[in-house]
Amino acid sequence: MNQPYDAIIIGGGHNGLVCACYLAAKKLKVRVLERRPVVGGAAVTEEFHPGFRNSSASYTVSLLNPTIIRDLKLPAHGLRVVERPFSNFLPLSDTEHIKVGGSLASTQREVARFSARDADKLPAYYTMLDRVAAVLKDLLLETPPNVGGGVADIFQALKIGKRFKSLDMAARRDVLNLFTQSAGEMLDDWFESAPIKACFGFDSVVGNFASPYTPGSAYVLLHHVFGEVNGKPGIWGHAIGGMGAISDAIAAEARARGVEISTDAAVKTLIVENGVAQGVEMADGTKIYAKQVVSNLHPQLLFQTIVPPQDVPAEFSQRINAYQSGSGTFRMNVALSELPRFTCLPEVGQHHSSGIIMAPSMQYMEQAYFDARTFGWSKNPIVEILIPSTVDDSLAPAGQHVASLFCQHVAPTLPSGMHWDDKREEVANVMIDTVNKFAPNFKASVIAKQMHSPLDLQRKFGLIGGDIFHGKLSLNQLFSARPILGFGNYRTPIKGLFQCGAGTHPGGGVTGIPGHNAAVEILKAR
């Protein structure tokens, strides 16, 4: 059989593009097939109202791995990331707020306004997180040991075990707690004041349809502290030109390495012969053959819609069907005539260029989750706002702005009798009204809005259940068990078919790591 390509990659999201770059660096002939008219998956920038552009789904930078930035020469392709002046600003009431980030001293001063004891404990808390994150960071660019694998996997398990053995007992206990405890329990053990617990606890529910008191949510918090911007750990930033600038830079390097990228190229089915992947059939009937096929899709999208059912082992199919997805996310962009003026801090300032979080306490976040489980969406939702136009004037007309609203919690599937296509506008108004409680000029300043319900995120970006991470970051779906125990090494039950998306280790976020690691395994398999 004529196989003109060494590898076909299904899906031109950022991980697929990263994987293509590393394969092409080894002189493989690679073709990327993207269903949409633009590459980047959920990391894209689009004009949603005349003159107003913004990141459509993913919206902030920190987790993009520095090794990948360097290897793929992304700054040379125009990528520039500016740091937030501080991490987060939380309006707490009409008169109170808290700002976290920047220097340790400045954060301690903020926290001391609510609890001197908590301010004193901050250095130890950061040290604990950094110590655990440092060990886990070392594992990010490595393939997890594959349970049930061969000798090589045994040695890999021993290698990883040595890393943990090098930790003292206190650090080992911290690792255990961060993987098993709820964020609420952990933060209650560390701190007494509600504002600082809200600041840190917010990370535990980002993309996680759960209460901050759900066991395992402490790991989701940890997942968000792995990052860095411009060599500074724990910092978040804005990509100039929006998140699409990241995907565009990776695509530019891919093309420079000879990768063929096709858009408006929807894959219909995987071609399998005698249990071996041979290529793909496109929606228009065209067949494209390759020695290896790599999927950047959500695991359920791959095995429920692309791989022929008769070629999937029954037990594996059962496990994939039970794979948990759904992050409780409602994603909006709004065009603004002016900046929001927060009652607690009305002047224009650095807080407008930081993460602005409407979630004043852990109890508020927990109730938001309970509401969504009961009614379909939160009556008082969690809303994070980023206003990238404060540092990037290419996104909006002069004097006007664009804002990203990352909203939680909403149910991936609404209660019986309701449908997201009918409720999208109503829920969007709830989100706007929530911001308006803290910034009374906000609602009147909205010129236009772009709305993505969980169903919209699924249809547009292939995020099953609106899950921004391609599957929950729960203990049974992490590391060697992501997506399925026995296939945590980027391979699948079908020979020649690999996965490189966020449904593999180490999970979601704009990291590029799954694409990098999958490429290593694909090259090994050759």
Side-chain angles (χ1 to χ4, degrees):
M1 180 181 296
N2 181 27
Q3 294 176 315
Y5 296 99
D6 292 301
I8 288 171
I9 297 179
I10 306 173
H14 82 281
N15 277 310
L17 296 171
V18 167
C19 186
C21 284
Y22 281 105
L23 295 179
K26 298 299 183 180
K27 308 303 181 186
L28 272 63
K29 188 175 182 182
V30 183
R31 185 170 178 183
V32 175
L33 302 171
E34 169 54 45
R35 171 180 60 90
R36 298 188 68 223
V38 59
V39 295
V44 291
T45 305
E46 297 175 310
E47 185 176 68
F48 66 95
H49 187 70
F52 294 87
R53 302 166 55 244
N54 204 10
S55 307
S56 296
S58 60
Y59 61 101
T60 189
V61 186
S62 179
L63 302 177
L64 185 62
N65 191 269
T67 297
I68 292 166
I69 294 173
R70 181 181 65 250
D71 288 352
L72 304 191
K73 309 168 191 173
L74 299 189
H77 292 294
L79 179 63
R80 184 162 70 93
V81 180
V82 296
E83 302 159 28
R84 295 186 194 174
F86 45 87
S87 297
N88 291 318
F89 160 63
L90 277 73
L92 302 173
S93 68
D94 286 349
T95 58
E96 281 288 5
H97 68 273
I98 187 170
K99 293 182 284 187
V100 169
S103 69
L104 172 61
S106 64
T107 300
Q108 284 183 295
R109 285 193 297 271
E110 282 284 300
V111 175
R113 296 192 294 111
F114 303 95
S115 168
R117 172 185 174 274
D118 286 355
D120 289 340
K121 294 195 76 169
L122 272 177
Y125 176 77
Y126 286 138
T127 298
M128 179 274 292
L129 278 185
D130 289 345
R131 182 171 54 183
V132 175
V135 174
L136 297 182
K137 273 185 179 181
D138 286 344
L139 305 177
L140 293 178
L141 289 172
E142 295 188 11
T143 300
N146 192 41
V147 176
V151 174
D153 292 309
I154 294 173
F155 282 115
Q156 179 68 3
L158 291 172
K159 183 178 174 184
I160 289 168
K162 285 181 180 178
R163 282 196 178 95
F164 285 95
K165 194 174 181 180
S166 68
L167 297 173
D168 61 28
M169 187 55 69
R172 293 181 199 177
R173 289 168 180 152
D174 289 334
V175 171
L176 178 63
N177 287 343
L178 281 161
F179 271 93
T180 58
Q181 271 192 315
S182 75
E185 290 172 316
M186 183 190 74
L187 292 170
D188 285 342
D189 287 343
W190 273 95
F191 303 109
E192 64 183 10
S193 60
I196 191 60
K197 287 191 280 189
C199 287
F200 294 144
F202 170 72
D203 281 342
S204 74
V205 298
V206 172
N208 185 24
F209 188 45
S211 159
Y213 285 94
T214 299
S217 57
Y219 175 78
V220 183
L221 181 156
L222 179 66
H223 187 83
H224 285 92
V225 304
F226 285 143
E228 63 180 71
V229 169
N230 301 330
K232 298 178 183 178
I235 301 295
W236 292 83
H238 300 283
I240 299 301
M243 296 298 284
I246 296 173
S247 300
D248 291 345
I250 301 171
E253 179 62 17
R255 292 187 178 99
R257 295 183 181 191
V259 175
E260 184 179 343
I261 299 175
S262 301
T263 54
D264 293 308
V267 172
K268 178 183 177 182
T269 190
L270 182 74
I271 300 172
V272 183
E273 294 183 5
N274 299 319
V276 180
Q278 302 289 344
V280 297
E281 181 178 343
M282 307 300 290
D284 65 3
T286 303
K287 294 182 179 180
I288 306 172
Y289 294 94
K291 296 173 184 175
Q292 291 164 312
V293 179
V294 189
S295 170
N296 188 34
L297 307 181
H298 185 293
Q300 287 175 317
L301 195 60
L302 171 65
F303 286 100
Q304 292 176 350
T305 68
I306 301 296
V307 179
Q310 66 271 19
D311 293 306
V312 184
E315 203 269 345
F316 181 87
S317 180
Q318 178 186 348
R319 299 285 180 179
I320 283 288
N321 291 342
Y323 183 75
Q324 292 182 305
S325 294
S327 59
T329 299
F330 191 95
R331 178 70 175 85
M332 295 177 64
N333 285 317
V334 292
L336 300 174
S337 61
E338 62 177 343
L339 290 171
R341 300 299 181 99
F342 296 93
T343 306
C344 62
L345 195 62
E347 67 272 16
V348 174
Q350 287 186 323
H351 57 292
H352 284 101
S353 300
S354 299
I356 305 167
I357 299 169
M358 268 59 70
S361 70
M362 300 283 278
Q363 289 69 33
Y364 180 102
M365 297 181 211
E366 183 168 53
Q367 189 59 52
Y369 170 66
F370 290 156
D371 280 357
R373 287 291 302 268
T374 304
F375 306 110
W377 59 87
S378 309
K379 297 178 180 178
N380 294 293
I382 305 162
V383 181
E384 181 186 22
I385 304 178
L386 260 68
I387 311 175
S389 51
T390 59
V391 295
D392 183 358
D393 60 12
S394 72
L395 299 176
Q400 298 178 314
H401 291 277
V402 293
S404 304
L405 275 64
F406 187 84
C407 311
Q408 298 185 168
H409 285 292
V410 300
T413 302
L414 292 177
S416 178
M418 293 193 289
H419 193 277
W420 270 117
D421 287 343
D422 302 322
K423 296 297 182 179
R424 184 190 302 109
E425 186 84 25
E426 181 179 345
V427 174
N429 289 333
V430 171
M431 305 306 175
I432 290 172
D433 288 340
T434 298
V435 180
N436 210 64
K437 292 175 186 176
F438 295 92
N441 71 319
F442 183 75
K443 188 172 184 177
S445 72
V446 174
I447 299 168
K449 57 185 182 286
Q450 178 188 47
M451 302 164 285
H452 288 126
S453 71
L455 181 59
D456 296 320
L457 292 170
Q458 177 170 315
R459 289 188 291 211
K460 186 172 181 178
F461 300 111
L463 303 177
I464 301 297
D467 198 316
I468 65 170
F469 291 142
H470 280 206
K472 290 185 68 174
L473 298 177
S474 52
L475 190 58
N476 65 324
Q477 295 185 177
L478 287 175
F479 202 49
S480 296
R482 191 166 184 88
I484 301 294
L485 197 66
F487 293 96
N489 60 350
Y490 308 95
R491 291 164 173 78
T492 72
I494 298 169
K495 187 176 180 180
L497 175 64
F498 296 80
Q499 295 193 82
C500 71
T504 61
H505 172 73
V510 181
T511 71
I513 297 171
H516 166 279
N517 293 358
V520 171
E521 294 304 313
I522 292 163
L523 292 168
K524 279 183 187 178
R526 294 178 66 83

